[in-house]
Amino acid sequence: FTSPYMVRYNDRIRINGIDIPDERLAELCTKVAQCSASADCSQFEITFAIALLYFKEEDCDLVFLETGIGGLLDATNVIESPLVSVITSISPDHTNLLGSSIFEIAAHKAGIIKNQCPVVISADNDPLVIDLIKATAERKSAPVRMPDSYDCDILNEDISGTHFQYHSVRYELKMPGHHQVYNALTAIEIIRILSMHGYLISAQNVSDAFRKVQVPARIQQICDDPVVLLDGSHNQASVLALADVVRSSGKSPVILVCGMLRSKDYLTSSNILSQIADHVICVDE
């Protein structure tokens, strides 16, 4: 369960990579609408309810839920005892709702931590943010696991992906950028926790997945000649990651086609992107 959708509404809800079919989406939407409480729910909450019904009816073994905004007040908190909670890299976003400082945002993100449920923290977070999350976890007696980034070596990288080694195991990652290596390390630690619950995912499974996985519109290469990248960056951290990948690629000239909602940090983003672009084409909302 993810949001927002990338191509069509259905891709928010997927089982084994397959979008919920139109007829099931319509059927479950009708069922949720018949509940009187739905009148006071947001679109996200209604979609989340549809997703939970779908996953339950399909008898899923494992369900991965992405929060909507923040975590503390998020609808996904109805899950009281997840196998593991995950906090990825935190950067300023949705500041009108979560707060203007990175620590206010981190406090909201830490709201997904549940009593005695393990939590995995991405290693590329600010040390003070990590301390805040660990303090929250300690109050809730939640074990904390964080990847050992010092045991990770990037062997080589280019616009087509990254080769790295972690705990003496070599991996090939299709998605480029240092930030995706941190995401991969986080995934590896999540899988280790899942193995303690009997979900045995082999190192070969992980290696095969890393070579293939491509999240749509996340520095996605959609053409080889010329090289064309599609990316949905809209905050400082994600735009910096995009700029690093483009800069390290050595490709030129760089022609940027850019459009961004006014609710996003377009001023900071534009300043960063202006440093890597030779030509810029702007589009409106």
Side-chain angles (χ1 to χ4, degrees):
F1 175 70
T2 57
S3 63
Y5 67 85
M6 290 291 107
V7 178
R8 59 197 295 261
Y9 193 90
N10 306 51
D11 67 39
R12 293 170 179 251
I13 303 169
R14 302 184 305 279
I15 294 179
N16 294 336
I18 300 174
D19 299 349
I20 182 173
D22 289 342
E23 61 274 12
R24 293 298 304 280
L25 179 60
E27 170 196 334
L28 294 174
C29 186
T30 301
K31 185 177 291 188
V32 170
Q34 291 169 347
C35 175
S36 59
S38 67
D40 297 319
C41 291
S42 66
Q43 181 203 59
F44 177 83
E45 290 165 339
I46 290 171
T47 309
F48 179 50
I50 293 170
L52 290 184
L53 284 171
Y54 183 53
F55 297 147
K56 185 177 187 300
E57 291 181 4
E58 293 298 315
D59 196 26
C60 292
D61 300 299
L62 277 173
V63 173
F64 293 82
L65 302 174
E66 180 185 30
T67 60
I69 296 177
L72 182 63
L73 305 177
D74 197 78
T76 55
N77 261 334
V78 298
I79 306 299
E80 297 178 351
S81 299
L83 297 180
V84 57
S85 297
V86 185
I87 298 177
T88 54
S89 178
I90 296 176
S91 59
D93 202 0
H94 303 293
T95 53
N96 59 320
L97 297 173
L98 303 182
S100 57
S101 76
I102 194 70
F103 305 106
E104 289 176 300
I105 295 171
H108 271 276
K109 299 280 189 178
I112 68 168
I113 300 173
K114 308 298 190 300
N115 289 328
Q116 299 182 343
C117 294
V119 56
V120 175
I121 310 171
S122 179
D124 60 343
N125 277 300
D126 184 290
L128 293 178
V129 166
I130 292 173
D131 288 343
L132 184 153
I133 295 171
K134 286 183 175 179
T136 304
E138 185 175 359
R139 289 196 299 272
K140 297 186 177 183
S141 301
V144 174
R145 185 187 290 263
M146 191 168 71
D148 180 7
S149 56
Y150 291 103
D151 196 20
C152 176
D153 295 312
I154 295 179
L155 305 176
N156 59 73
E157 58 180 328
D158 56 34
I159 205 166
S160 64
T162 307
H163 290 76
F164 69 96
Q165 182 171 295
Y166 184 54
H167 292 328
S168 301
V169 180
R170 292 193 174 200
Y171 299 98
E172 177 186 345
L173 194 60
K174 180 177 181 179
M175 298 178 71
H178 282 194
H179 63 299
Q180 293 298 355
V181 174
Y182 281 109
N183 286 339
L185 300 186
T186 302
I188 290 169
E189 297 302 330
I190 294 167
I191 288 168
R192 288 179 175 172
I193 291 176
L194 293 179
S195 70
M196 300 176 190
H197 293 277
Y199 298 97
L200 303 180
I201 302 170
S202 71
Q204 188 61 52
N205 290 150
V206 176
S207 181
D208 290 345
F210 283 170
R211 280 200 303 271
K212 298 174 184 176
V213 68
Q214 170 66 64
V215 180
R218 295 295 186 270
I219 312 185
Q220 179 183 4
Q221 186 169 341
I222 58 176
C223 183
D224 296 328
D225 187 17
V227 172
V228 178
L229 300 178
L230 176 66
D231 189 69
S233 302
H234 58 261
N235 60 35
Q236 181 175 340
S238 57
V239 171
L240 281 171
L242 171 63
D244 284 344
V245 170
V246 173
R247 192 179 290 113
S248 63
S249 73
K251 302 291 184 182
S252 64
V254 175
I255 301 173
L256 173 68
V257 180
C258 183
M260 193 173 296
L261 294 172
R262 67 178 71 251
S263 59
K264 303 303 180 183
D265 188 4
Y266 61 88
L267 291 176
T268 300
S269 300
S270 298
N271 183 53
I272 294 169
L273 293 172
S274 69
Q275 299 172 35
I276 62 166
D278 297 296
H279 306 281
V280 179
I281 301 169
C282 294
V283 297
D284 61 18
E285 294 183 16

